[in-house]
Amino acid sequence: MSTKSNKIGVVQLTILTMVNMMGSGIIMLPTKLAEIGTISILSWLVTAVGSTALAYAFAQCGMFSKKSGGMGGYAEYAFGKAGNFMANYTYGVSLIIANTAIAISAVGYGSELFDVNLSPVAIAGWTIITLWLATSLNFGGARITGNLSSFTIWGVIIPVIGLCIIGWKWFDADMYIHAWNPHHVPTFEAIGVSISMTLWAFLGLESACANTDVVENPERNVPIAVLGGTLGAAAIYIVSTNVIAGIVPNMDLANSTAPFGLAFAHMFNETTGKIVMGLMVLSCFGSLLGWQFTIAQVFKSSAEEGYFPAFFKKVTSKEAPIIGMVTITVIQSLLSLMTISPSLNKQFNVLVDLAVVTNVIPYLLSMAALMVLQKVERVPTQKAKTTTFVAFIGSVYSLYALYAAGQEPMLYGSIVTFIGWTLYGFVSDKFDMKAKV
């Protein structure tokens, strides 16, 4: 039980939420958005509204749910154990895919840093090496991983916030306007094309309400911090990706595998650009390190509930779920090989779209269960109506994100989801199917 003196306030929680959300999701964004043009700022605005609605609804879920397991626990209120399983399963799959994309980001920045031109097979090879290195460093337990990740994340945050503040000195409005819609794509289509990429930057917003137990006056402060943190991250994302578009020519940005390093090279010199690339590689690897451990913990928790195979819950004397981590990294290695593409950017985009599709499934389950959750936990009627309306906005945005992801990610994402129903059949006999809540 935390005492009043060591609980964190609303400002600290807001900053913590922003830092957790930013991570490594932003470092390849300017390249993807440059393929569409600066019209992608409209996607940012749509995603900021949708993500804020989701974040607020998740904050309320976290405040009132009495069931453990995060999104799985929320989904269980309306969909029973099957909903809990599907939320955990699709979330676990999305994290596996997302971490493979983070590893590719690190490889992209590393190749620019060392001026190496990698073939598609070499990109996959180095991605696999990066994943296994991150996994093996986690064998020592969570303490080392946590300390390293909390330090390395500043390698992204400092350059990105620095760019937001000082980048305007080099900003060319004519360059920005010229890059508005270089391929003359219809506005609605242009927004849709970049929705997956902008939502990718916000993945993890569901974890923003995980610190309820250590917060002063959580019922008031958690929703404020989640909203503030999401809007703060949105502001940094929007400003940084748009200021870059006025510093670096659109074609150079669209073909870069290290856009922030390229921006600092334009602003100062090649050496500064290389330093920023080095910071980004370090930060990306630190993020990868933390997330590899987190994924194994997600699978461990699900195994303890009886959803996933028992070997995922086995840990060493240092509380490291090594068997689970190795199994997950084998899957990620196969994924790296299966998604080999003509360019690093293309492979990154394929993985991001698939990660977004699979991550949106537990979002939808959680939003749909919120009304039942509030009734069961006797949330005051007026408060429940407001939260339900906000959750509905989040659901509409989530469905739009699925549509905008395109046919191929939806096809593979659907197959992955259907496999989940099949897998649930193997474990469903462990649960009382009549117990819905």
Side-chain angles (χ1 to χ4, degrees):
M1 185 80 176
S2 299
T3 62
K4 173 89 172 174
S5 60
N6 60 24
K7 287 194 172 188
I8 61 175
V10 67
V11 175
Q12 291 167 292
L13 186 61
T14 302
I15 293 169
L16 183 66
T17 301
M18 285 175 61
V19 169
N20 285 345
M21 213 176 296
M22 283 178 66
S24 57
I26 192 173
I27 73 173
M28 289 292 289
L29 277 176
T31 291
K32 171 65 176 176
L33 299 178
E35 294 172 10
I36 312 303
T38 50
I39 194 174
S40 59
I41 192 173
L42 300 178
S43 298
W44 275 123
L45 299 177
V46 172
T47 296
V49 172
S51 296
T52 303
L54 288 167
Y56 180 82
F58 277 122
Q60 298 305 318
C61 285
M63 291 301 307
F64 298 114
S65 174
K66 298 294 189 294
K67 297 182 186 291
S68 61
M71 289 189 286
Y74 310 154
E76 189 176 332
Y77 278 90
F79 303 104
K81 293 293 184 181
N84 194 326
F85 171 85
M86 287 303 296
N88 277 296
Y89 164 75
T90 49
Y91 185 56
V93 169
S94 76
L95 291 179
I96 287 175
I97 299 165
N99 238 29
T100 310
I102 291 172
I104 287 176
S105 298
V107 171
Y109 269 77
S111 65
E112 286 280 344
L113 179 62
F114 297 109
D115 290 319
V116 179
N117 196 9
L118 298 175
S119 68
V121 174
I123 291 166
W126 279 107
T127 301
I128 291 169
I129 290 168
T130 304
L131 286 164
W132 280 102
L133 180 60
T135 298
S136 61
L137 289 174
N138 272 313
F139 290 171
R143 184 180 293 257
I144 299 170
T145 299
N147 289 341
L148 190 59
S149 297
S150 61
F151 171 73
T152 58
I153 193 171
W154 294 99
V156 162
I157 292 173
I158 291 170
V160 171
I161 293 180
L163 189 73
C164 292
I165 297 168
I166 66 170
W168 297 104
K169 182 181 176 182
W170 291 268
F171 184 81
D172 183 340
D174 289 337
M175 184 187 295
Y176 183 89
I177 293 166
H178 183 69
W180 178 252
N181 191 357
H183 306 294
H184 307 290
V185 178
T187 302
F188 187 75
E189 186 181 330
I191 294 171
V193 169
S194 43
I195 281 288
S196 288
M197 206 65 191
T198 51
L199 179 55
W200 157 259
F202 285 97
L203 294 188
L205 60 87
E206 71 286 340
S207 64
C209 50
N211 301 294
T212 305
D213 293 341
V214 294
V215 181
E216 294 174 8
N217 192 4
E219 192 162 335
R220 183 184 78 91
N221 288 344
V222 169
I224 291 172
V226 168
L227 281 171
T230 305
L231 290 170
I236 291 168
Y237 288 149
I238 292 169
V239 173
S240 63
T241 54
N242 279 277
V243 76
I244 279 187
I247 296 171
V248 182
N250 184 260
M251 283 303 295
D252 293 351
L253 205 53
N255 293 317
S256 174
T257 57
F260 281 97
L262 185 63
F264 276 87
H266 271 73
M267 288 159 59
F268 298 103
N269 51 49
E270 288 292 328
T271 303
T272 308
K274 294 288 186 185
I275 291 169
V276 169
M277 286 177 201
L279 286 171
M280 291 276 183
V281 171
L282 186 67
S283 179
C284 216
F285 188 76
S287 177
L288 187 69
L289 200 65
W291 274 109
Q292 286 294 85
F293 196 90
T294 301
I295 297 170
Q297 289 296 115
V298 169
F299 275 70
K300 175 176 172 286
S301 300
S302 294
E304 288 169 347
E305 293 290 325
Y307 296 127
F308 290 180
F311 65 81
F312 279 112
K313 62 183 178 183
K314 293 181 179 178
V315 295
T316 63
S317 59
K318 294 182 178 178
E319 295 294 308
I322 288 180
I323 297 174
M325 282 193 283
V326 168
T327 304
I328 288 164
T329 312
V330 168
I331 297 169
Q332 290 171 323
S333 300
L334 293 172
L335 195 60
S336 300
L337 294 170
M338 288 164 59
T339 56
I340 287 177
S341 300
S343 71
L344 184 144
N345 288 339
K346 174 68 175 170
Q347 187 171 8
F348 180 75
N349 293 345
V350 168
L351 289 166
V352 165
D353 286 341
L354 193 53
V356 166
V357 167
T358 48
N359 200 291
V360 163
I361 304 301
Y363 283 7
L364 285 168
L365 289 170
S366 299
M367 294 301 103
L370 189 54
M371 192 181 295
V372 178
L373 187 161
Q374 292 178 115
K375 283 183 180 177
V376 171
E377 302 302 342
R378 294 184 171 85
V379 176
T381 304
Q382 195 54 49
K383 186 175 184 64
K385 282 182 179 178
T386 302
T387 305
T388 300
F389 176 72
V390 174
F392 177 73
I393 294 172
S395 297
V396 171
Y397 170 73
S398 298
L399 290 167
Y400 177 58
L402 288 178
Y403 164 77
Q407 293 182 1
E408 192 172 313
M410 271 300 296
L411 171 64
Y412 292 124
S414 299
I415 291 171
V416 166
T417 304
F418 295 150
I419 288 171
W421 289 117
T422 304
L423 294 175
Y424 182 67
F426 290 103
V427 298
S428 59
D429 61 324
K430 298 178 184 177
F431 310 110
D432 178 10
M433 300 308 293
K434 292 179 182 178
K436 293 292 182 185
V437 292

